[in-house]
Amino acid sequence: LPLASCSLWCYWRFMQLAAFAQGYKIYANYGVPTGIWPFNWQQFSMWLSRVMATSTFFHFMTAIAFISTRSSITPAMFAITLMAGRSMLTRGNEYFGSHTLWKRTGAPAAAWATANASRLDLMGSASEVVLGFVLIMLLLTPARNVLLIFFYWQFLKVRFVTPDSAAGHRQVWQWLDEKTYPYRVQVPFIERGVQYVKGWFLNLGAMAGGRQ
């Protein structure tokens, strides 16, 4: 499988850097977690509820979780790299917009990223969903990690309903549903499993809708 094409050292360093960068973004946007010392659960949960609904928190937790793997799971790097690249282009426009070299090299890339923002959002959502299935496939290999699968799929469920990711994730899941339905119905036990998972996702969506 081309899932370990990145050296383990490079993979670990990438995830460490990603965790640091996303952690810093959380700090810059939301400050230090409130209610830590002395510990106050109500204050901390209020801070956490604001942070958990962001893509930054998702990528931070993804990087933290995947640091612990025994082999490099290269697909886990794609969504983080895509997000980092877009952020870099945005910051580049802000700080180097008037620089001649940036106008020749970075500005065209930034303009393309802005014009194709919807497509890039969908690519990011698709890569996150694909990673969930990659982890399931890895159950057949020595790189299996049941706890990581449980953790990641719980986060996919959250991504299905949070405002900044729901649209892309719902579009990806709808596409998968339409493409696989003609084959699933031929195997009833697979279709029953799929319906169970769909209910699991939609149940959280209904709960989130009820809280709004």
Side-chain angles (χ1 to χ4, degrees):
L1 291 174
L3 304 180
S5 56
C6 176
S7 74
L8 191 57
W9 183 90
C10 177
Y11 171 81
W12 280 344
R13 289 294 178 265
F14 176 91
M15 289 300 176
Q16 289 170 358
L17 180 61
F20 175 80
Q22 300 305 313
Y24 180 78
K25 286 179 65 177
I26 292 173
Y27 166 74
N29 293 327
Y30 300 97
V32 176
T34 56
I36 294 294
W37 188 262
F39 184 73
N40 184 305
W41 171 249
Q42 184 176 7
Q43 292 182 10
F44 178 72
S45 61
M46 289 177 61
W47 180 89
L48 189 62
S49 65
R50 290 166 44 224
V51 174
M52 282 186 65
T54 65
S55 292
T56 301
F57 183 77
F58 171 78
H59 292 299
F60 171 74
M61 293 303 299
T62 298
I64 291 293
F66 280 83
I67 287 175
S68 63
T69 57
R70 294 170 294 180
S71 59
S72 59
I73 305 176
T74 308
M77 302 166 67
F78 183 81
I80 297 175
T81 302
L82 182 62
M83 181 181 181
R86 295 176 66 182
S87 179
M88 181 183 68
L89 290 173
T90 300
R91 296 300 181 188
N93 260 347
E94 293 178 1
Y95 293 106
F96 308 111
S98 60
H99 197 282
T100 303
L101 181 61
W102 177 262
K103 289 181 179 179
R104 289 203 309 263
T105 57
W112 181 90
T114 301
N116 293 275
S118 297
R119 183 185 301 178
L120 293 174
D121 287 340
L122 188 59
M123 286 176 59
S125 297
S127 68
E128 293 170 10
V129 172
V130 167
L131 178 56
F133 288 103
V134 168
L135 292 176
I136 292 176
M137 291 169 55
L138 289 177
L139 285 173
L140 304 176
T141 75
R144 69 180 68 88
N145 190 325
V146 176
L147 185 61
L148 182 59
I149 291 175
F150 177 79
F151 165 85
Y152 189 79
W153 277 85
Q154 286 290 336
F155 261 97
L156 280 184
K157 187 177 179 180
V158 173
R159 296 286 281 170
F160 188 73
V161 298
T162 49
D164 69 340
S165 59
H169 275 252
R170 289 173 186 268
Q171 190 172 346
V172 171
W173 284 113
Q174 182 179 359
W175 181 87
L176 285 173
D177 187 39
E178 293 173 353
K179 293 298 182 181
T180 60
Y181 180 75
Y183 306 100
R184 295 188 335 246
V185 294
Q186 306 298 323
V187 188
F189 79 90
I190 291 180
E191 177 62 13
R192 285 195 297 270
V194 169
Q195 292 303 321
Y196 174 81
V197 173
K198 288 172 67 175
W200 183 61
F201 270 74
L202 294 174
N203 180 56
L204 182 60
M207 292 172 60
R211 289 195 298 266
Q212 293 175 353

